[in-house]
Amino acid sequence: MLELLSDYTVRNVALGAAFLGTISGVLGTFAVLRRQSLLGDALSHAALPGICIGFILAGGRSFGATLLGALASGALAALAVLVLTRGSRLKTDAALGITLSVFFAAGVVLLTHIQAGGNASQGGLESFLFGQAAAILRSDLWIMGGVTLGALALVAALWKEFKLVTFDPVFAATLGLPVVALEVALTVMIALAVVVGLQMVGVILMAAMVIAPAAAARQWSRSLGGMVISAALVGIASGVFGAVLSATGRGLATGPLIVLAASTIVLAAIMLAPGRGIVWSFLRQRAQSRQLRGRQVLTTLYRLAASHDDPAYPAEEGTVNSYHGLATRRVLSGLARRGLVRAVVHAPEVTPHWELTPAGLAEARRAIAEFEGDRA
Amino acid sequence: MGTGLLDDPTFAIVATGALVGIAASMLGTFLVLRGNSMLSDAISHSIVFGIVVVWLLTGAQAGPVQIVGAAATGLLTVFLTEALARTQRVKDDAAIGLVFPVLFSIGVILIAIYARNIHIDEHTVLLGEIGFVWLDTVELFGARVPQALLTIGAMAAINVLFVTLLYKELKLSTFDPALAKALGLMPGLLSYALLGLTSATAVAAFDAVGAVLFIAFVIVPPSAAYLLTDRLWLMLVIGSAISVASSVSGYVLALWLDVSIGGMMALMTGAFLVAAFLFGPRYGVFARRAARHERRLANEAQALAVHLFNHEGGPRERQENAVGALGAHLHWDGAKAERVLLRGLDRGLVVRDGELLRLTEKGRAVAREVLEPWHRPAL
């Protein structure tokens, strides 16, 4: 591992992935909370024409020009979505789909235009579709790092404002905050994240980098600050994992590997997040329904006893079954283990019988009192 | 025509594009109306996974097996998305954006590992190559027909048939799913059928336009049509017409500029959408601006008429209904008061009597319409 990290390319790639993870995790958090997850998808597809125009204007593969182009067309796409939803009766989903596909089509047209020109360095452009981390240069890293730092600084400076706009835009407006400007800032910054991710995961899969780290972090975070930090960490972890694997492996594209790593973390978080995970809530539900059934059976035994004026009335298991419409053997055994009932023989019958213990009697009274109390 | 026409690359390419558009518009119309457009994005990305898996299992690169496999993948995508959203751990939109990248990524990795040198490379998957559809032909009734044209033609026929036969059911389940369910029309099943057909169409259109451009054909023409009409059947017709027009004009432009034909066709759907957005007769930007202007003029005329009517014959008529008083009493600045007054004179709502303004019968009718709506003649 140490040997791997001392490799020049691998170190570059890991650093780039860390930048990407940080910025997409932080900004993705806001996007996901504001229910704008798919905006990242639209903006990243929409970056393609900008990349091509940057390429044409710079006369070759220049990372700076590419980034500026991608940022410009991403911002334009965000504006297009806004204009379509505000200015017509199209809904958000249609506006996103239109922007995504038409901008991408424009990108494809420009891409073929560049290829028709026979430019020798066009190969660099294809890598923006799926990402090719190994092609990252040291100079690219400076730009990626600068963009990331800039975005982080802006988030830190406007932390309170962004938080309010995310959770309660109406309240933010009544406080006199420039809500529209803040929302535009958050949206344009997603375009920034896309720009950083171009080299790493490519335009197609950038959507997942905006959504996945934030979705995973949401599972165990209780505060915005915690969520932003966890999302950045998840982003860094999956970014570095995927990028290093791609740089050392058999030339697999980086994007898919990073996305699979991040998605695995999401799945694990949804299943196992403390308190919120599906596995825990399944176990909790099972324990609860078991407890409820136990109480119901206990109450039945109590009522049978009460109606026979005999606290130690031996109730036949079959009778109890027919009260509940199911086999109660396991429930009764469970109650017996807790010392609330005990199996007895009621001669001359040979079928199993159960009676309440004094502890069971008290427990049943308590359950019934609680139930009556709830009803009152 | 017959053989000669089918041999012509131009015809084959334009017809393929048009059929992709028609097949996609049929389904896209309902996706757009249901607010499910982005599912087509998810489906068209994730069928890459289905195509590779079917290829690995059966060796089939196209044909019915691939189409069925893709339909299954599309349904898997929708199912997984819904299952993820149902856990309530993530929101609906995030669920879409989590599922399809995973399937797409697995597909791309499988291609990279197993399918380096066959024709499903990442590039084709994304962009398609409609310019080559006429190269791959099959024999049909003695004529050589492009394979892609045949597949997408069949798919378009199936989609048109689906929409025609189940028109009533689709319409009801789109606009009132609760009623559709109450009537036993199984809107859930219908929705899955719709999305299954979307995936099948996506794979049929794959060679021609690729995964991402297919989304343009599904969403954009129906959206443009939605801005032009309120009738469902008309939306289907207009959407198809826009698709055909896009593929013809896209082909011509692509040839002229020497760029990707599929990309240009998709871009043209966008051009038609922008045109509909701006110039639509009822919902277009200009039409709405004109309507708003018209409404403002009508409001001003009404305000003038009501003001004069209220003071007509009253003790202060001479002061209130004077030309010079309008600005102060209606809170209009001088220029606006003059503009409204001139228009009122033009339209014959008021006449001047020296400094005094008198309502005509027509002007009185305008005021009454506001003040005494119960006297309005029954419609």
Side-chain angles (χ1 to χ4, degrees):
Chain A
M1 190 68 198
L2 256 170
E3 189 185 335
L4 205 63
L5 276 177
S6 61
D7 180 277
Y8 180 74
T9 315
V10 174
R11 217 165 40 208
N12 273 359
V13 165
L15 201 56
F19 287 143
L20 168 64
T22 312
I23 190 169
S24 61
V26 171
L27 297 176
T29 299
F30 290 100
V32 166
L33 288 175
R34 294 170 64 225
R35 315 204 62 173
Q36 284 196 332
S37 305
L38 291 174
L39 195 66
D41 188 26
L43 294 195
S44 54
H45 281 78
L48 190 60
I51 294 171
C52 294
I53 290 176
F55 183 90
I56 293 171
L57 290 184
R61 191 184 171 287
S62 143
F63 194 54
T66 315
L67 290 191
L68 279 182
L71 185 61
S73 71
L76 203 64
L79 187 71
V81 172
L82 202 70
V83 167
L84 281 177
T85 45
R86 294 266 169 93
S88 81
R89 58 191 194 136
L90 291 171
K91 291 177 213 122
T92 312
D93 65 307
L96 286 172
I98 291 166
T99 310
L100 179 157
S101 56
V102 173
F103 270 71
F104 193 82
V108 169
V109 165
L110 288 169
L111 203 61
T112 47
H113 174 71
I114 293 170
Q115 281 165 346
N119 195 321
S121 53
Q122 74 194 25
L125 272 186
E126 297 266 315
S127 68
F128 287 122
L129 288 177
F130 294 104
Q132 196 54 271
I136 288 184
L137 306 173
R138 184 43 69 86
S139 57
D140 299 348
L141 280 179
W142 281 106
I143 300 180
M144 289 166 75
V147 172
T148 306
L149 269 182
L152 287 184
L154 196 60
V155 169
L158 294 174
W159 176 257
K160 232 173 17 198
E161 285 80 0
F162 283 153
K163 190 173 180 175
L164 202 51
V165 164
T166 302
F167 289 110
D168 198 342
V170 178
F171 183 51
T174 59
L175 286 183
L177 289 181
V179 175
V180 176
L182 289 168
E183 285 181 344
V184 167
L186 281 174
T187 308
V188 172
M189 287 205 298
I190 292 178
L192 277 182
V194 169
V195 160
V196 173
L198 290 178
Q199 290 250 346
M200 304 298 302
V201 293
V203 297
I204 311 283
L205 289 168
M206 209 24 229
M209 273 321 276
V210 173
I211 302 172
R218 176 70 192 87
Q219 306 308 318
W220 63 75
S221 307
R222 298 248 170 271
S223 71
L224 184 65
M227 186 170 163
V228 162
I229 293 170
S230 332
L233 291 178
V234 171
I236 293 172
S238 44
V240 171
F241 174 81
V244 169
L245 201 64
S246 148
T248 54
R250 305 196 280 155
L252 294 178
T254 324
L257 291 173
I258 295 184
V259 167
L260 286 181
S263 305
T264 309
I265 299 180
V266 174
L267 190 66
I270 287 177
M271 286 301 182
L272 297 171
R276 201 177 134 110
I278 288 179
V279 171
W280 305 136
S281 69
F282 173 75
L283 290 178
R284 206 162 43 230
Q285 211 172 353
R286 216 175 56 168
Q288 267 169 5
S289 69
R290 208 177 265 172
Q291 195 192 354
L292 188 65
R293 266 201 306 275
R295 275 188 170 199
Q296 284 168 335
V297 170
L298 197 66
T299 315
T300 304
L301 288 182
Y302 179 81
R303 289 197 199 288
L304 282 172
S307 61
H308 287 87
D309 266 338
D310 174 9
Y313 174 75
E316 197 206 355
E317 194 177 307
T319 314
V320 181
N321 281 350
S322 60
Y323 270 110
H324 290 274
L326 59 117
T328 49
R329 162 66 59 89
R330 276 184 55 192
V331 185
L332 285 165
S333 313
L335 289 174
R337 268 199 302 281
R338 285 164 63 198
L340 301 176
V341 299
R342 64 171 161 259
V344 288
V345 181
H346 186 52
E349 293 170 50
V350 289
T351 51
H353 283 66
W354 301 81
E355 67 174 34
L356 290 166
T357 61
L361 207 60
E363 175 67 24
R365 282 202 182 108
R366 216 159 49 78
I368 290 172
E370 210 172 276
F371 176 67
E372 301 283 335
D374 276 354
R375 253 201 334 197
Chain B
M1 39 188 282
T3 321
L5 194 56
L6 286 172
D7 272 343
D8 183 8
T10 304
F11 174 78
I13 293 169
V14 173
T16 306
L19 285 172
V20 168
I22 291 172
S25 288
M26 289 295 126
L27 310 169
T29 298
F30 293 99
L31 293 180
V32 167
L33 287 174
R34 288 159 177 244
N36 278 343
S37 315
M38 287 309 274
L39 279 182
S40 69
D41 173 42
I43 287 174
S44 65
H45 280 90
S46 60
I47 56 167
V48 171
F49 170 77
I51 288 178
V52 180
V53 169
V54 171
W55 175 75
L56 285 176
L57 292 179
T58 68
Q61 281 182 28
V65 187
Q66 271 293 7
I67 290 184
V68 171
T73 317
L75 293 184
L76 177 72
T77 312
V78 176
F79 173 77
L80 288 178
T81 304
E82 284 179 355
L84 193 57
R86 246 200 322 272
T87 65
Q88 300 188 349
R89 263 59 173 188
V90 296
K91 300 274 192 308
D92 301 4
D93 59 330
I96 295 181
L98 282 170
V99 170
F100 84 79
V102 171
L103 293 176
F104 186 77
S105 300
I106 298 176
V108 169
I109 288 177
L110 287 178
I111 290 179
I113 295 177
Y114 295 106
R116 285 226 160 227
N117 298 316
I118 68 154
H119 101 135
I120 37 175
D121 61 275
E122 294 109 325
H123 197 135
T124 318
V125 158
L126 280 180
L127 312 178
E129 209 29 277
I130 199 170
F132 296 147
V133 290
W134 54 279
L135 288 177
D136 186 12
T137 58
V138 288
E139 196 82 14
L140 190 75
F141 304 125
R144 291 195 310 119
V145 184
Q147 169 80 50
L149 189 60
L150 206 63
T151 320
I152 191 65
M155 215 53 235
I158 292 174
N159 290 354
V160 171
L161 210 63
F162 172 73
V163 170
T164 320
L165 290 180
L166 294 174
Y167 185 73
K168 207 170 45 189
E169 286 79 359
L170 282 167
K171 188 174 177 178
L172 192 60
S173 69
T174 298
F175 292 109
D176 194 342
L179 180 61
K181 194 163 189 179
L183 292 177
L185 293 184
M186 297 190 280
L189 192 66
L190 212 54
S191 171
Y192 267 90
L194 195 65
L195 294 166
L197 280 176
T198 307
S199 336
T201 311
V203 77
F206 220 73
D207 287 341
V209 294
V212 185
L213 298 182
F214 175 71
I215 307 167
F217 286 93
V218 177
I219 304 178
V220 186
S223 296
Y226 184 54
L227 296 177
L228 296 174
T229 179
D230 285 332
R231 302 245 154 261
L232 179 59
W233 68 269
L234 207 55
M235 199 173 149
L236 290 162
V237 172
I238 295 178
S240 306
I242 290 178
S243 306
V244 175
S246 302
S247 55
V248 175
S249 56
Y251 179 75
V252 173
L253 283 174
L255 234 49
W256 182 50
L257 298 169
D258 189 21
V259 291
S260 153
I261 298 170
M264 205 63 214
M265 287 175 171
L267 194 57
M268 283 315 292
T269 63
F272 282 105
L273 180 100
V274 171
F277 176 73
L278 291 177
F279 306 112
R282 187 158 166 206
Y283 300 110
V285 169
F286 290 114
R288 291 207 303 188
R289 189 168 292 174
R292 206 156 44 231
H293 185 64
E294 201 53 46
R295 222 160 31 238
R296 210 182 62 219
L297 295 188
N299 279 341
E300 290 171 353
Q302 271 179 351
L304 175 66
V306 166
H307 174 74
L308 298 179
F309 187 84
N310 277 338
H311 297 288
E312 207 170 37
R316 289 171 46 82
E317 185 177 4
R318 294 233 152 248
Q319 290 89 358
E320 291 284 348
N321 291 4
V323 174
L326 288 182
H329 293 178
L330 286 167
H331 302 293
W332 288 342
D333 61 44
K336 184 173 178 186
E338 191 182 326
R339 205 176 61 224
V340 178
L341 184 55
L342 285 177
R343 215 173 293 112
L345 290 165
D346 270 354
R347 294 189 181 179
L349 302 178
V350 290
V351 289
R352 282 187 73 156
D353 178 6
E355 266 301 285
L356 185 67
L357 293 170
R358 288 188 193 285
L359 280 173
T360 61
E361 223 14 78
K362 193 175 161 197
R364 234 165 258 133
V366 168
R368 281 217 181 87
E369 207 171 294
V370 178
L371 295 170
E372 302 164 6
W374 53 91
H375 286 147
R376 201 178 289 167
L379 289 173

